[in-house]
Amino acid sequence: MNTGSLSPPFITPPPPPSRVNLFSEIERLKKERHAIILAHNYQLAEIQEVADYVGDSLGLSIEAAKTNAEVIAFCGVHFMGETAKIINPSKTVIIPDLEAGCSLADSCSAADLEAYLNKHRDKNYYVVSYINCSAAVKALSDVICTSGNAVKIVSHVPKDRNILFVPDQNLGAWVIEQTGRTMELWKGNCHVHIEFTRDSIERARKDHPDASIVAHPECSYAVRLLAHEVCSTEKMISYCKNSPSKAFVIVTEEGMLHRLRREIPDKTFIPGPTAHCACAECHFMKKNTLEKLYRALRDLKPEILLPEELRAAAEVPLRRMLEWSK
Ligand code: 13P
Ligand code: SF4
């Protein structure tokens, strides 16, 4: 007896469509499911190509809030899918890979934040949370912000309140510089953006003396000091379009270069080097592939599901952010 061979009912699943067919299959499933594909600027080029909207966390939240689609296929990391679900409880929100996490979001757990707030009740903190956090952290927050609106949001917070800013200390420090507002900062950071160092960016400046340096605010103070512009990924597009410079060193995750090169073909974009590599890559963002997106649309899973009480509590500070961003 050949114990190694499979006979029915062990049916081998059909092979996935070829790469070319994946594009048309995704288009077909999108129509069949009444789905919209939202993708972050750090996604693989091929995912950006099939998406209905590609943008930063702010743009993606706004798109998620206004879509009429029945299914949202969110190509980004887990907290981004959660954000779409928080705003759209009746819609099906799927993501290609449930394991696409975020080291920054992980640097502030809801349990640690709750314990900190309980220990410092006397401060009556106004909690401003960067959108890179879990739904449970959002539920403990007063307002959410993104890198695209953090300055505006913090400027809106009542002047008589102590602000606790979580979880990114680099973004928080940049907001303090921009607003002059005092804030206490949670000591979290993004493992991708702290890979850029003063030395690596000084090297890039020497190698490309005519290029403008454009950095994300999740970078360290030393790196931000060397940049000509510090902004969210979406603002990088308009900054590079409108700048008289012809070349730019882009100090953020390398996926950003795809959109820049596509939308501004007459300029040169160089990935910012890190201490050890020619560019920085977020392996969480890169967990999503075209094939996983195809399977997610086909099977309507993995799906983002949230307990209703938690979702409703997280919606309050998110809606406040959308209101204050207008
Ligand atoms: P943006 O909102 O600027 O795209 O940033 C999201 C992010 O995860 C940066 O690491
Ligand atoms: Fe999170 Fe950093 Fe990846 Fe952005 S780049 S998703 S902050 S781990």
Side-chain angles (χ1 to χ4, degrees):
M1 191 174 70
N2 183 353
T3 52
S5 71
L6 295 179
S7 55
F10 304 106
I11 298 164
T12 319
S18 70
R19 275 184 77 75
V20 177
N21 286 348
L22 269 178
F23 283 98
S24 54
E25 279 299 288
I26 286 171
E27 279 304 320
R28 183 184 64 76
L29 284 168
K30 208 171 72 175
K31 286 198 189 90
E32 205 174 290
R33 302 291 193 199
H34 301 287
I36 187 173
I37 302 176
L38 303 180
H40 187 264
N41 286 321
Y42 296 163
Q43 289 294 283
L44 291 173
E46 58 209 43
I47 290 189
Q48 294 194 30
E49 293 303 318
V50 293
D52 296 291
Y53 177 86
V54 184
D56 68 354
S57 306
L58 179 59
L60 288 164
S61 309
I62 294 170
E63 285 302 311
K66 68 181 192 207
T67 184
N68 292 322
E70 286 165 28
V71 173
I72 300 174
F74 209 115
C75 302
V77 290
H78 190 265
F79 77 80
M80 295 180 173
E82 267 190 351
T83 304
K85 184 67 183 178
I86 291 165
I87 306 175
N88 291 289
S90 61
K91 295 190 199 303
T92 303
V93 179
I94 49 173
I95 59 173
D97 192 324
L98 263 189
E99 307 261 290
C102 169
S103 65
L104 176 55
D106 289 346
S107 63
C108 178
S109 73
D112 286 350
L113 177 57
E114 193 166 26
Y116 190 84
L117 292 174
N118 283 337
K119 194 170 161 201
H120 300 281
R121 276 179 190 281
D122 54 316
K123 299 254 180 138
N124 189 26
Y125 281 122
Y126 198 95
V127 181
V128 181
S129 295
Y130 186 31
I131 199 160
N132 296 41
C133 64
S134 66
V137 165
K138 287 185 177 73
L140 293 170
S141 309
D142 293 292
V143 70
I144 307 301
C145 70
T146 73
S147 57
N149 65 12
V151 169
K152 194 171 187 181
I153 297 295
V154 167
S155 304
H156 255 82
V157 175
K159 297 279 175 286
D160 59 337
R161 296 293 300 272
N162 295 315
I163 301 178
L164 175 64
F165 188 93
V166 310
D168 191 64
Q169 61 178 339
N170 287 314
L171 174 69
W174 177 70
V175 173
I176 292 173
E177 290 159 26
Q178 303 298 306
T179 59
R181 189 81 199 252
T182 311
M183 302 197 292
E184 274 183 53
L185 306 178
W186 197 264
K187 290 191 174 38
N189 55 44
C190 158
H191 76 290
V192 177
H193 286 87
I194 60 164
E195 282 293 306
F196 300 109
T197 61
R198 191 178 64 182
D199 285 356
S200 73
I201 302 306
E202 264 175 355
R203 203 174 353 111
R205 280 180 74 129
K206 281 199 192 96
D207 291 348
H208 309 282
D210 297 330
S212 292
I213 312 286
V214 184
H216 195 274
E218 286 173 22
C219 295
S220 69
Y221 178 64
V223 168
R224 294 199 310 274
L225 270 186
L226 292 169
H228 297 97
E229 175 68 3
V230 176
C231 60
S232 77
T233 60
E234 195 58 36
K235 287 191 187 156
M236 288 181 183
I237 304 276
S238 50
Y239 177 79
C240 296
K241 254 184 203 158
N242 299 327
S243 160
S245 292
K246 291 278 171 238
F248 302 86
V249 175
I250 302 299
V251 190
T252 192
E253 210 269 354
E254 59 83 40
M256 189 63 219
L257 278 90
H258 176 68
R259 249 193 91 193
L260 286 163
R261 286 175 178 149
R262 199 177 69 161
E263 292 187 26
I264 320 172
D266 56 327
K267 297 192 178 182
T268 304
F269 298 98
I270 303 139
T274 70
H276 311 290
C277 294
C279 67
E281 193 174 275
C282 173
H283 67 277
F284 295 117
M285 283 280 182
K286 282 354 193 224
K287 277 195 175 286
N288 297 329
T289 62
L290 211 53
E291 197 179 322
K292 287 181 194 169
L293 171 61
Y294 157 76
R295 275 195 245 126
L297 280 165
R298 187 192 63 189
D299 305 338
L300 290 185
K301 62 179 193 218
E303 185 181 358
I304 302 276
L305 295 167
L306 290 168
E308 176 51 21
E309 205 179 321
L310 173 69
R311 187 209 63 77
E315 187 175 9
V316 176
L318 248 180
R319 292 271 173 208
R320 190 167 289 138
M321 172 190 88
L322 293 172
E323 192 51 40
W324 288 5
S325 299
K326 281 179 186 160

